[in-house]
Amino acid sequence: MPVTTIAGRDIHVDDEGFLTVYDEWDPDLAKRLAAQIGIDLTDAHFKALTFLRDDYATQGETATLRRVSTLGGIPTRQLFALFPKKPAKKMAYIAGLPKPHGCV
């Protein structure tokens, strides 16, 4: 399992850079991960990230975009505005979760 260093911390990641250890994530790390892909996090971003992490803890897999929109109450259009181009993949990356099934 590859390890990378972010902000002086060793973080376990997969070959694509997605975190592999759920408990290594925290909001500060999220800000740093987001900055790496050009996103400046706001409260609206954290609403989506919090839903994703809570849902992952109960479901055992990363939620799809449809699930975030339907159960998280965040319109798909807003998710695309917050996480441009590939929202599901970007949300999972910043939330410290595995890439959702079906994402390339």
Side-chain angles (χ1 to χ4, degrees):
M1 179 180 318
V3 176
T4 190
T5 303
I6 300 173
R9 294 171 45 193
D10 287 339
I11 305 295
H12 295 84
V13 296
D14 66 14
D15 292 336
E16 294 182 78
F18 287 82
L19 272 67
T20 57
V21 178
Y22 182 85
D23 293 328
E24 289 180 345
W25 184 92
D26 62 32
D28 183 55
L29 180 60
K31 291 175 187 175
R32 293 180 181 274
L33 293 171
Q36 288 180 354
I37 59 173
I39 295 175
D40 186 23
L41 295 180
T42 65
D43 289 344
H45 290 95
F46 275 107
K47 178 181 178 185
L49 299 176
T50 300
F51 173 81
L52 270 178
R53 290 191 57 82
D54 291 348
D55 190 69
Y56 182 86
T58 60
Q59 300 298 314
E61 65 182 18
T62 304
T64 62
L65 193 62
R66 177 173 287 190
R67 186 172 177 85
V68 176
S69 181
T70 304
L71 298 179
I74 306 167
T76 302
R77 185 173 293 209
Q78 183 180 1
L79 293 171
F80 271 91
L82 292 169
F83 305 94
K85 296 186 181 171
K86 295 185 177 185
K89 188 173 182 177
K90 289 180 178 181
M91 285 188 298
Y93 176 76
I94 297 168
L97 301 173
K99 183 171 66 172
H101 296 295
C103 277
V104 262

